[in-house]
Amino acid sequence: MSIRTPLTLASIEPDAGLRAALALDPAGVVATVTDSGIKGRGGAGFPTGRKWALAAGAPAPDGVRYVVCNADEGEPSTFKDRVLLDELPDLVFEGMTIAAYAIGAHEGICYLRGEYVYLLDALEACLARRREAGLLGDDVLGSGFSFDVRVFLGAGAYVCGEETALIESLEGRRGEARSRPPFPVVRGYNGAPTVVNNVETFAWTAAILARGADWFAAIGTDRSTGPKLLSVSGDVQHPGIYEFPLGVPIATVLEAAGGADAKAVIVGGAAGTCVPRRDFGRAISYEDVSTGGAVIVLGPWRDLLEVAENLQWFFVNESCGQCTPCRVGSLKLLEGIRRLRRGECTRQELADLVSLGGTMQIASKCGLGQAAPNVFLSLVRSLEQEMLSHIPAGAR
Ligand SMILES: Cc1cc2nc3c(=O)[nH]c(=O)nc-3n(C[C@H](O)[C@H](O)[C@H](O)COP(=O)(O)O)c2cc1C
Ligand code: SF4
């Protein structure tokens, strides 16, 4: 997949971040990451500095803590982590090493999406090179600090990208979300405090240590600092990876990608928000329309309900089945969207579907079920008249 804009991450001096981190004490590293304002690039947008501080401060029996890189990248139409793992794996492992130093971990695991198995040999080779260069292993760069990373291959379940299901999978069990609290920073892998961060988050933390918190914080908006990688796909002339400062208007992304005539854009993938053309002035940021990286462009000819049906089918298949609102709700929503498309839905039924979606959002156990109705609900909210046009005249 093409990289369409220059990537700042590609210009970061190798291992400058790690050397800068080792010159600080661990609390100083956490403070630098906190001061940068960076929030997780995997979708949920949790402040990374706060996550590291929580893990560093959580009681750790035998002093064991873990750092896990979430390289599951299962969100439909997200492919920016694959490019980072392919092109800049050193920077990702450097970020993991910095995190480990900050929280006092000695073992790291990279949870690699099963479909990315073709990257495995190259990643193992990169880790071997880093051990050889003294960047991993005992006594990293003569600092007295020890850390190593292994790669664990996932098996193709979307829910395993959710951090607690990922940890279950790492421990050898079926990938199912855990009840929270306790959060992984307190009780994660093997019951020990565990930091789980996205691939891109680790890469940016290496850059932050190399260039400074102020450099990063000066990019983007007050509440959404730094640049963000976007995977742009769908009805555009130039699909690929783009880097923009957070806060970028959707219209700017579309112009760059050759999709200015789009009818709507789904920001955030299957779990995201459908934004209609009239709202293309809205910003991609944590305070407006947020995304782990996916931007799906829908051309003027697209049947948006067909898209919603397709995505709902995805959730029906990927629900782990553990809780009723998600297991049953996803299927009921799919059936309802199909009835709406066939012109068999009444206005009351549409209202019931919206209410069902609301219940799923608040009652599902994990983010999969909570986000499953998002695209449909955002469609009804923002394109109500178009949705109502699917209802037979006598039933409106
Ligand atoms: C169903 C589901 C799938 C997810 N998939 C991913 C994923 O593939 N990669 C990822 O980094 N985060 C994913 N997440 C978010 C993680 O649970 C977690 O918030 C993230 O890895 C934390 O890293 P960050 O703070 O650096 O973003 C997923 C969440 C849910 C609910
Ligand atoms: S919300 Fe869905 S995926 Fe998450 S625990 Fe419930 S059934 Fe499983």
Side-chain angles (χ1 to χ4, degrees), residues 39-48 51 68-75 80-81 158-164 166 180 196-202 315 366-371:
K39 293 180 175 164
R41 274 15 189 187
F46 191 83
T48 306
K51 183 179 282 190
V68 174
C69 177
N70 190 340
D72 197 50
E73 197 162 54
E75 189 64 53
K80 46 103 188 168
D81 292 343
Y158 173 58
V159 74
C160 284
E162 194 279 336
E163 58 186 6
T164 62
L166 183 153
R180 301 184 298 176
V196 181
N197 274 130
N198 174 254
V199 169
E200 185 187 347
T201 311
F202 281 123
F315 284 109
C366 84
L368 188 151
Q370 289 159 10

Side-chain angles (χ1 to χ4, degrees), residues 12-35:
I12 303 296
E13 190 190 331
D15 304 311
L18 179 57
R19 287 176 201 280
L22 294 176
L24 298 169
D25 63 6
V29 176
V30 174
T32 303
V33 173
T34 304
D35 291 348

Side-chain angles (χ1 to χ4, degrees), residues 75-77 266 269-272 274 296 298 304-318 334 337 372 375-376:
E75 189 64 53
S77 77
I266 298 178
C274 187
I296 307 171
L298 305 171
L304 299 184
L305 261 188
E306 184 185 2
V307 174
E309 178 185 335
N310 184 300
L311 296 178
Q312 204 56 47
W313 173 237
F314 169 77
F315 284 109
V316 169
N317 279 287
E318 294 295 336
L334 175 64
I337 294 171
V375 167
F376 175 67

Side-chain angles (χ1 to χ4, degrees), residues 101-126:
Y101 176 71
I103 70 158
H106 302 292
E107 189 179 335
I109 306 164
C110 179
Y111 188 99
L112 184 66
R113 180 189 167 120
E115 291 87 339
Y116 292 175
V117 63
Y118 69 94
L119 291 172
L120 186 59
D121 285 349
L123 292 175
E124 300 281 17
C126 177

